[in-house]
Amino acid sequence: MKPSRVGMALLWLLVGVGVYSGAQQALHGDAATGLGTIGAGGVVWGLYVVGDGFFASVALASLTMACLARVLRLRSLKAEAHLALPLAIAGLLASVACVLADLGRPWDAMINLSLVGRARAPFFSTFTLVAGLPCARA
């Protein structure tokens, strides 16, 4: 099935709105989202936590489908399994991006992850999941 020009135009428009919104938030801070700030009683972090859970779930479902198609040798799902692996990687990267956007100083967190990382923290679990993916493919 070939995508229509109108559908592709709508998707590119959505991408443009997302890039513009991200730039506004980077320039003006979390108050630009309309969710307030943590000090003022807002829940800015909730948007990133939902994004992290959604994209990690997309990645998990994609990997599960690809693994089942390969292990059970389902020829009918071979094409979908080939599409599922890039989707899983994109989902994991989007999940990491959500967690990095939630952190105030992401580079400090990445450097100090081994020193002060908690296994139940979203950044720690997402980072180790993404870092472990290439090891699982080998």
Side-chain angles (χ1 to χ4, degrees), residues 48-68:
Y48 301 117
V49 171
V50 169
D52 178 37
F54 172 77
F55 289 120
S57 299
V58 166
L60 177 65
S62 298
L63 283 174
T64 301
M65 201 220 32
C67 290
L68 285 175

Side-chain angles (χ1 to χ4, degrees), residues 66-83:
C67 290
L68 285 175
R70 184 173 176 134
V71 168
L72 299 177
R73 296 186 177 113
L74 300 173
R75 291 181 186 248
S76 60
L77 292 179
K78 187 174 183 179
E80 288 83 359
H82 284 295
L83 292 174

Side-chain angles (χ1 to χ4, degrees), residues 16-29 32:
V17 168
V19 169
Y20 174 75
S21 300
Q24 290 300 313
Q25 184 176 359
L27 291 173
H28 304 292

